[in-house]
Amino acid sequence: MEVSICPLTLSDITDEFVSWHQNSDGHLDFYTGDRRSFSREKLISWIENAEERNTFFYMIMVNQNIPVGTIKIGPIDMNNKTSDLACLIGNRRYVGKGLASRAITQANHVAFQKYDVRRLQSGMYENNIASIKAYCRAGWFIEAIMKGYYWVDGAPIDRVCVACFNPEYFLEG
């Protein structure tokens, strides 16, 4: 399957897209950290106000015409040239097929080249092994583990912090 990313537009906020952001099956627990769902209105607001918050949303496409998820770059700290990057494979039929790492790799390039980001970071539940592996396959590394960061069902869960550096700013050797 060919994977690509393209800027998300308001016309992309279809019923299917909105369904990806409903947490009826617990899938978003791994995406949001606070286990919430998002309404159509909230999703539209994100897109409409994204640029003023230095946040940019991309649709993950398979075979150039099947939307399967989203990538969020931002908010970008323009002073420090750093940004979060979050990936969601929303269409559950495409989860576990290796698409996230390929989309993250493309998003790394966009963040570094288009937005001049020096450093990307993200974090996830320690038990979200698939996400940790997807980021690491996309050139990221585990930077830290924050003990007991999340509180889920009455128990602490560690946060695995991952990062990726723009090679134009971080020379090896």
Side-chain angles (χ1 to χ4, degrees), residues 47-118:
I47 305 308
E48 289 178 334
N49 300 307
E51 205 161 319
E52 69 189 44
R53 293 186 334 264
N54 291 322
T55 301
F56 304 92
F57 293 92
Y58 289 81
M59 183 72 83
I60 301 169
M61 304 293 286
V62 170
N63 300 332
Q64 298 183 344
N65 65 349
I66 304 169
V68 298
T70 61
I71 293 269
K72 177 182 74 75
I73 300 171
I76 299 173
D77 176 338
M78 297 299 195
N79 292 325
N80 293 303
K81 297 183 177 228
T82 62
S83 178
D84 291 344
L85 187 147
C87 177
L88 171 69
I89 301 299
N91 185 325
R92 307 323 192 247
R93 293 185 305 270
Y94 289 88
V95 170
K97 299 196 181 298
L99 305 177
S101 61
R102 293 169 27 209
I104 293 166
T105 298
Q106 290 181 35
N108 294 345
H109 182 76
V110 169
F112 296 157
Q113 300 304 312
K114 184 173 182 175
Y115 303 115
D116 194 30
V117 171
R118 294 181 316 111

Side-chain angles (χ1 to χ4, degrees), residues 20 22 47 62 72 74 79 93 98 111 127 129 159 166-167 170:
W20 299 346
Q22 303 305 302
I47 305 308
V62 170
K72 177 182 74 75
N79 292 325
R93 293 185 305 270
N127 60 346
I129 303 302
R159 177 183 171 107
N166 183 337
F170 293 87

